[in-house]
Amino acid sequence: MLYHPVKIGSLQLQGNIFLAPVAGYSDRSFRSICINQGAAFTYTEMVSAEALTRNNLKTEVIMRRAENEKVYSVQIFGGEPEIMAQAARIVIEKTHCECIDINCGCPVPKIIKTGAGSALTRDPERLEKVVSSVVKATEEYDTSIRPEVTVKIRSGWDAEHITWKEAAQAALNAGSKAITLHARTRAQGYEGKSDWNKLTELVTLMNNKIPVFGSGDLFTPEDAKRMIEQTNCDGVMFARGAMGNPFIFTKTIQLFQNGSYEEIPASRRIQTGFNELLMLSADIGETSACMEMRKRFCAYSKGISGGAAMREKIVHASTIADYHAIFDGIQ
């Protein structure tokens, strides 16, 4: 079956369709919405290990569990093994999350220059040390609160330096309980095409030792179906495909189970946006939430009749009342 349970170490998940960690987007309000729409597992935005060890308050906000989040993963990044170990301990003590994911794929220059993100995919030896340090840190805790450790990688640094195989083997050797591959290089960033053939090869390499998840170029339910059928990966992670479109989880489950899916009425899409706005307002205040929701409501309104005119108003909305003035009456 396309839709099925997945086990990450001792962690049992009811499905295999996940929300990826998305910087500036996958806060707990959006994660909560995605869970309501069927996401079986969710990841926080990536959290700086360095910031955690310096008691940065913003990192604590990023790591908060959503009220309906029965299981979730906190993603951390860093290039120094000991700092990553310290960060893992802080994550466990502050969140009791079920999983810690290590970002070895972010292509952003300010992340790479610290030796983190894609820099680790280029340096499998350091990657193994980083992952091993986090795994050992988790083993200091009782199994009742010990999170599983997973890793997300890219296919390599650039077209001349394809290192996913060495990086994946290093992660496995260090004790990672799952690997996600975004099959683009660091040089590609988010441009070009994701090479799913590499994901197929990774599935073969891991040979059921640990689950393999796929990411990259997943914008429709059909994309998710095609990825699983082509690569035999254990699950898929929606990232940009879920931004402003949490319904992609509902539709994908319907497609996997029934062979087709229903379109979401405009009124339900907008109501979901308001649910997200209210949760975000409770977390960061109405003013900041309304600013943040401008881009999200622009996405929610795509495909709705008169959407272009709505978006001209959305970019100026500053209060919840402003959003009601724009959207009330939509059927």
Side-chain angles (χ1 to χ4, degrees):
M1 294 179 62
L2 290 169
Y3 187 68
H4 56 78
V6 174
K7 234 183 160 183
I8 301 175
S10 62
L11 177 59
Q12 180 71 50
L13 304 177
Q14 298 307 305
N16 60 337
I17 304 171
F18 310 150
L19 172 66
V22 183
Y25 220 100
S26 52
D27 51 46
R28 72 172 185 164
S29 60
F30 184 64
R31 298 199 312 272
S32 179
I33 292 294
C34 289
I35 291 166
N36 286 339
Q37 295 299 325
F41 199 44
T42 49
Y43 294 71
T44 68
E45 303 173 60
M46 62 181 184
V47 178
S48 165
E50 187 75 41
L52 275 174
T53 60
R54 294 183 180 182
N55 297 313
N56 183 295
L57 292 178
K58 184 179 178 182
T59 59
E60 292 194 29
V61 174
I62 293 174
M63 295 192 300
R64 288 177 186 166
R65 184 189 296 263
E67 290 185 8
N68 61 342
E69 214 161 23
K70 295 179 181 178
V71 292
Y72 80 124
S73 179
V74 173
Q75 188 186 69
I76 61 176
F77 72 90
E80 297 298 326
E82 183 50 43
I83 291 176
M84 288 288 280
Q86 292 177 33
R89 296 184 188 102
I90 295 168
V91 169
I92 294 168
E93 291 164 9
K94 289 187 177 293
T95 72
H96 288 187
C97 64
E98 287 70 28
C99 186
I100 294 177
D101 188 63
I102 301 173
N103 183 308
C104 303
C106 181
V108 176
K110 70 177 182 179
I111 304 298
I112 293 171
K113 72 179 182 181
T114 68
S118 290
L120 290 172
T121 303
R122 183 173 60 170
D123 187 352
E125 184 176 341
R126 177 172 285 273
L127 186 154
E128 185 167 343
K129 290 177 180 177
V130 165
V131 177
S132 180
S133 72
V134 173
V135 170
K136 289 176 181 176
T138 67
E139 290 172 348
E140 298 168 7
Y141 294 83
D142 185 87
T143 55
S144 63
I145 62 168
R146 182 187 302 166
E148 300 295 356
V149 177
T150 61
V151 173
K152 187 176 183 184
I153 63 174
R154 283 201 169 222
S155 58
W157 185 253
D158 53 29
E160 287 71 44
H161 300 87
I162 301 298
T163 55
W164 64 265
K165 187 178 294 183
E166 295 82 0
Q169 189 62 56
L172 179 65
N173 293 346
S176 176
K177 292 298 191 294
I179 297 179
T180 300
L181 175 63
H182 182 154
R184 283 185 172 88
T185 64
R186 182 279 319 172
Q188 282 181 282
Y190 298 97
E191 302 298 325
K193 293 292 291 181
S194 178
D195 184 358
W196 291 1
N197 290 327
K198 291 182 174 61
L199 182 58
T200 304
E201 293 175 33
L202 176 58
V203 171
T204 301
L205 178 68
M206 290 297 104
N207 193 28
N208 294 317
K209 295 183 182 75
I210 58 175
V212 174
F213 307 130
S215 179
D217 290 343
L218 296 172
F219 296 102
T220 67
E222 289 84 359
D223 291 337
K225 182 175 184 288
R226 191 166 60 252
M227 175 179 275
I228 290 180
E229 289 177 338
Q230 287 183 13
T231 70
N232 287 319
C233 66
D234 297 284
V236 298
M237 274 192 198
F238 285 113
R240 288 179 292 166
M243 292 168 65
N245 182 29
F247 316 104
I248 199 165
F249 297 100
T250 302
K251 291 180 176 181
T252 301
I253 293 171
Q254 289 177 350
L255 179 65
F256 282 12
Q257 294 182 329
N258 307 320
S260 63
Y261 55 85
E262 299 176 358
E263 291 301 332
I264 307 299
S267 58
R268 181 178 161 193
R269 290 165 60 184
I270 297 305
Q271 183 55 57
T272 300
F274 273 105
N275 293 343
E276 185 177 349
L277 171 58
L278 293 176
M279 284 190 284
L280 193 56
S281 295
D283 275 351
I284 65 175
E286 181 176 350
T287 300
S288 296
C290 287
M291 292 285 287
E292 173 61 30
M293 287 298 297
R294 287 176 180 176
K295 65 182 180 186
R296 303 190 191 189
F297 264 117
C298 282
Y300 276 118
S301 66
K302 285 182 180 178
I304 294 177
S305 178
M310 290 178 191
R311 286 188 284 279
E312 290 181 5
K313 299 176 182 178
I314 289 170
V315 295
H316 301 291
S318 299
T319 66
I320 294 174
D322 288 342
Y323 284 108
H324 276 295
I326 296 168
F327 291 114
D328 282 359
I330 287 181
Q331 299 299 313

